[in-house]
Amino acid sequence: MIGDVPRREQMSPAAAQLGVISGLFIREMLTRVGRSRLGILWLMAEPIILSTMISMLHWLSRSDLPNGLPVFLFYAMSYVPFMMFRSIVNRGSGSIQANISLLHHNRITLLDVTLARNLMEMMVCATVIALYMLVATLFLDEPPHEPALFVFGLLLSALLANGLSMVIGSAQVVWEWIEHLVHPFTYLMLPISAAFFMLSAMPPATRELLLWNPLVHVHEMNRWAMFGDRVTPYYDISYVLLWALLLNLVGMAGLRVARPRLSISD
Amino acid sequence: MLELNNVWKVFENRQGRKEVLRGIHASFRRGQHVGILGRNGAGKSTLLRVLAGVEAPTRGNIRRSMSISWPLGGGYGIHTSLTGIANARFIARLYGLPLQRTEEFVADFSELGPYFHEPVKSYSSGMRSRLLMALSFAVDFECYLVDEALSAGDARFANKCLEVFGIRRQNAAMIMISHNASHVKRYCDTAAILRNGMLEFYEDVDEAIAAYQGL
């Protein structure tokens, strides 16, 4: 019996990599869900509570939106993707030190850890978005205009956040003080990312300035994907893709630089 | 084969540079059971991490043509908030093992009984080391790196580990670090002493132990 060990299955490097990421993903989920049966609901509770509160505030203050846009959905559908961006970036800071014991397995790379964690975050927010879309369709008579485009938008902001989290995480290995700038940065991103206002309501000069921020493009696109021609969006997908590509490349290079500097010792 | 060629490991800290490994030359073959003796702070654990490929040497190079385990000891590679079975599944996914077979093997070898389904943080240290050894034996590594982990279980479990190493002897090497000469005598065929950042090999374990105790 003792000699009868499980044999490893032959697999390609890509399949092995996927195995590593799925193992890490499930571990992440188990850790965050905890052992209670309601854990999976708690995972979604945070984005739901926060976005509901924010949207309720705007709804109660009777904010006026043009073209009969629904107030609650308008804020909720922008806030959840922004929250995903924020939590991926915030978690990126310090994530290397927090997961350092995983690196005892030499097949686990920092990239695997990052991807598994961020994938998890994205799936949580995508589920909440899907839930809101369902509610919008069934109860509010607001079926999403282009749901697939919204999912693409979510993916874009996840990619941006993924790249940025790697850049920040690896920079922190060299300069520890960066940690203190991450939360202020993500906090200040909210007012300049057009999550809560539309570019069409801005003077042209401000609009041009805001369009330097790739997140603005994503939020504008998402709004059109949700509400269709009741909004006039300003976005350029190729500009966002360029940012996503750059951030991810720099981030991956950063992780490569950071890895040999890490000491796994306790 | 695991070969080290002039491997250095230098740490920079506030007191300046600390040279932990200063030019290690070694080669380990399948079927070899090597004990590495060293006093506390001699750099044994650092050497193990460098061997495992989880920390890069500052200088020199390492060639690996064996699959090498993670450093086994101190609970490395175990997730204490997860259950034993979740840890087994994690290892299975990580190393591409069949899930169910791995669960069975780990449950059987670790002898954890109902605790297999409890979070590892509720385990005693003996139970943890049994889980750790079961997890690592579930993967057919060609080289096991052991950080005194075998010592934590009781005598019967230690014998079981010896038995596994006996069966895997043709295929697997073991490198064990310890400050305890009697462990090395029990598990190893050859031994080396890590001293002043360098590794001295002895053909005979008793000779190495005598030299070590004379330090």
Side-chain angles (χ1 to χ4, degrees), chain B residues 45-123:
Chain B
S45 298
T46 304
L47 176 61
L48 213 60
R49 286 194 297 271
V50 170
L51 287 174
V54 299
E55 258 183 66
T58 314
R59 200 143 33 100
N61 60 63
I62 301 172
R63 280 189 24 213
R64 296 183 186 85
S65 54
M66 297 192 280
S67 62
I68 295 172
S69 80
W70 71 94
L72 304 171
Y76 302 147
I78 290 189
H79 304 293
T80 51
S81 63
L82 301 184
T83 60
I85 189 169
N87 272 287
R89 288 193 191 128
F90 178 72
I91 292 295
R93 287 192 187 96
L94 195 55
Y95 290 96
L97 304 168
L99 277 187
Q100 207 192 337
R101 185 71 201 87
T102 310
E103 285 168 23
E104 286 164 9
F105 179 89
V106 175
D108 187 54
F109 192 89
S110 63
E111 300 171 9
L112 287 167
Y115 274 94
F116 194 46
H117 299 274
E118 294 295 325
V120 174
K121 52 185 169 211
S122 67
Y123 291 13

Side-chain angles (χ1 to χ4, degrees), chain A residues 1-2 4-9 11 19 23 26-27 35 102-108 259 263-266, chain B residues 49 52 54-55 67 70-71 76-77 79 83 90-91 93-98 101 108 137-138 140 164 168:
Chain A
M1 181 63 202
I2 278 176
D4 176 23
V5 290
R7 289 282 152 196
R8 260 184 275 186
E9 292 148 12
M11 49 182 178
I26 292 167
R27 165 192 166 272
R35 279 165 58 73
L102 281 173
L103 298 177
H104 277 113
H105 298 283
N106 62 14
R107 356 181 103 196
I108 300 182
R259 183 62 182 87
S263 175
I264 320 286
S265 51
D266 13 282
Chain B
R49 286 194 297 271
V54 299
E55 258 183 66
S67 62
W70 71 94
Y76 302 147
H79 304 293
T83 60
F90 178 72
I91 292 295
R93 287 192 187 96
L94 195 55
Y95 290 96
L97 304 168
R101 185 71 201 87
D108 187 54
F137 285 141
D140 50 341
V164 173
R168 302 233 178 134

